[in-house]
Amino acid sequence: MSFLVVGVSHKSAPVALLERLALDSDGVTKLLADVMGGDHVSEAAVIATCNRLEVYAQVDRFHGSVDEVSRLLVDRAGQATAELIPYLYVHYDEGAVSHLFNVAAGLDSMVIGENQVLAQTRDALRLGQEVGSIGPSLNALFQQALRVGKRSHAETDIDHAVPSLVTAALERIPATVAGSRVLVIGAGAMAGLAVATVHRLGAGEITVVNRTSGNAERLAREYDARSLPLSDLARQFGAADIVLSCTGANGVLISRDTLAAVRSDPTAPLSIIDLALPHDVDPDVATLPGVSLVGLASLADELSDSDSARDVAGVREIVAQEINAFLTARRQASVTPTVVALRSMATSVVDAEMERLASRLPDLDEATRAEVLRTVRRVSDKLLHKPTVRIKELANETGAISYAAALAELFALAPEAVDAVTRADLPEERLP
């Protein structure tokens, strides 16, 4: 079994395509169920964010599983296979491990080093555990990815070196946050980050508008803001200097005509940031006098060059270390079933010989019998010690799987004995 990643992100596709692939929580759950229904998938997880949709799977073959997962993404995009395929990327086995660790560390984000993707990786693991699509293999992979992300932020200054997506957007509008009246539309993770950011920057007044009033109230209460229902949205534009919209709505919330109609001063400066996917704001609002608009598409274009110049050497070194450690442990674990089967066979041989000795020497006293047993076991352990140590060392070299197979062949280990060890249920580490 091997790891597989099939995905699309801001690095491989335009925002317009990402909008067509955007999924809410129900959509992610449905995608997981569809992936698990494939013929070649035993475990699955989905990372779905505003700028990426990735399916992680444990598969028994490459080509069949890639075809299955790719087809599911094509169906969700609602376009011809030939149009979507060029935007998809595929990582297999060690490449999949490397990709996830880079994602969790923030090295693959639109804003290099941002830590929101770490929470999104945790959400993917949690959902997979809840629906039962994650087993021991993906659980170990995602747990290690979370540790990679935590190390990256704990051991480097990447948090201070790069802004969040919200901060980056605020830096690209003409308005100054300090003292401004800020309207935040939404109450999810991105909206929470937006409210926290403008509060920290000294916004004069913060209003949170959301379809579910309870969520808006909780978010507003945490930052001494006020909350209003979505029905009051249009009236709030006339009193706002800055608008940040980041909902999970499927349609446009703010049209050009609506905005033009509700503005008390049609030429007053108004900065709008649209961080939703699909977008909440009609791009044509930017044609209105005094209105500036920053969206994910323009943000991606402006950030691409600056991100590549950032000093992320420390994080890359951590990721490289963790990839090597994970792959080393995985390769060593791959030979464990063979080693266990070999030791089990040796134990069976010792037991059989002791029974044979007992039948041939029925008068042997218990003390002598015990000493003979200890001696035979010591001989068995010593004969097996170096081969088992060496096979684990060789697991880190090219051809490790063939070494394990050779060991099984040399000692005539029954395949079902090795498979039984491989299939053994292992304790699964869960999220706290």
Side-chain angles (χ1 to χ4, degrees):
M1 301 293 284
S2 302
F3 295 123
L4 172 71
V5 179
V6 180
V8 60
S9 76
H10 65 282
K11 287 189 172 182
S12 68
V15 171
L17 177 58
L18 294 177
E19 288 183 336
R20 300 175 69 173
L21 286 166
L23 299 177
D24 57 16
S25 57
D26 291 338
V28 173
T29 302
K30 176 64 166 58
L31 178 57
L32 276 174
D34 291 344
V35 172
M36 289 297 292
D39 295 331
H40 307 290
V41 176
S42 58
E43 300 180 29
V46 171
I47 294 182
T49 75
C50 63
N51 52 32
R52 76 175 62 245
L53 177 61
E54 296 177 338
V55 175
Y56 292 79
Q58 177 85 343
V59 301
D60 62 4
R61 57 180 298 183
F62 176 73
H63 293 291
S65 56
V66 169
D67 291 343
E68 289 175 353
V69 177
S70 298
R71 169 54 57 186
L72 292 174
L73 296 183
V74 168
D75 291 344
R76 277 157 177 78
Q79 62 187 90
T81 302
E83 296 175 352
L84 179 64
I85 291 300
Y87 298 111
L88 294 178
Y89 47 81
V90 175
H91 301 288
Y92 188 65
D93 218 22
E94 294 186 5
V97 175
S98 176
H99 179 73
L100 177 58
F101 286 9
N102 277 278
V103 167
L107 293 178
D108 196 63
S109 298
M110 185 179 293
V111 180
I112 295 287
E114 59 92 11
N115 59 13
Q116 189 179 15
V117 71
L118 187 59
Q120 293 160 339
T121 303
R122 178 181 292 274
D123 290 343
L125 173 59
R126 192 187 307 276
L127 178 60
Q129 291 176 338
E130 290 175 355
V131 302
S133 66
I134 284 185
S137 295
L138 280 184
N139 183 75
L141 177 64
F142 270 72
Q143 294 284 0
Q144 188 81 356
L146 292 176
R147 283 188 280 270
V148 171
K150 291 175 182 177
R151 271 196 68 191
S152 298
H153 292 287
E155 298 179 20
T156 72
D157 291 328
I158 197 69
D159 286 340
H160 305 293
V162 294
S164 70
L165 193 59
V166 173
T167 303
L170 288 170
E171 291 174 350
R172 285 159 176 77
I173 60 174
T176 301
V177 176
S180 293
R181 296 164 297 180
V182 180
L183 172 63
V184 177
I185 308 171
M190 184 66 78
L193 180 60
V195 173
T197 302
V198 297
H199 180 269
R200 174 174 55 82
L201 294 175
E205 181 182 80
I206 304 173
T207 301
V208 180
V209 174
N210 189 56
R211 192 179 306 278
T212 305
S213 58
N215 293 341
E217 290 170 0
R218 282 192 292 272
L219 179 57
R221 189 164 50 247
E222 185 176 354
Y223 293 98
D224 295 325
R226 64 171 181 158
S227 63
L228 293 172
L230 193 63
S231 57
D232 286 347
L233 176 61
R235 289 194 295 271
Q236 297 307 310
F237 281 104
D241 301 309
I242 301 172
V243 176
L244 293 102
S245 191
C246 33
T247 75
N250 291 323
V252 172
L253 293 178
I254 308 167
S255 69
R256 183 188 186 281
D257 292 341
T258 299
L259 182 58
V262 300
R263 296 178 74 193
S264 56
D265 183 349
T267 61
L270 176 61
S271 297
I272 302 177
I273 296 172
D274 186 359
L275 298 179
L277 196 65
H279 59 263
D280 288 337
V281 183
D282 180 357
D284 287 342
V285 302
T287 64
L288 293 173
V291 176
S292 64
L293 174 64
V294 174
L296 280 177
S298 61
L299 202 57
D301 292 339
E302 294 177 24
L303 289 174
S304 59
D305 293 335
S306 60
D307 283 347
S308 62
R310 297 190 185 278
D311 182 12
V312 292
V315 176
R316 294 191 187 281
E317 177 61 27
I318 289 172
V319 170
Q321 293 171 3
E322 293 290 345
I323 291 172
N324 182 65
F326 181 85
L327 294 177
T328 295
R330 183 169 176 242
R331 286 190 289 264
Q332 290 181 348
S334 70
V335 303
T336 297
T338 301
V339 171
V340 172
L342 177 60
R343 289 192 173 277
S344 296
M345 183 198 72
T347 298
S348 299
V349 171
V350 169
D351 292 342
E353 288 302 314
M354 289 304 298
E355 289 181 7
R356 182 169 174 271
L357 180 65
S359 64
R360 295 183 61 184
L361 301 174
D363 297 331
L364 198 65
D365 61 88
E366 288 301 320
T368 303
R369 189 189 308 274
E371 183 60 34
V372 171
L373 177 59
R374 283 193 293 270
T375 299
V376 175
R377 283 178 175 170
R378 280 198 300 271
V379 171
S380 174
D381 291 342
K382 288 182 178 181
L383 285 174
L384 294 180
H385 176 69
K386 286 191 175 181
T388 54
V389 169
R390 185 60 181 145
I391 194 66
K392 290 181 178 179
E393 293 173 347
L394 291 172
N396 293 321
E397 300 179 7
T398 302
I401 295 178
S402 64
Y403 284 121
L407 188 67
E409 184 69 23
L410 286 172
F411 285 90
L413 299 177
E416 58 270 20
V418 177
D419 290 343
V421 178
T422 305
R423 293 192 303 268
D425 291 332
L426 301 175
E428 182 176 317
E429 182 182 358
R430 300 190 66 84
L431 287 168

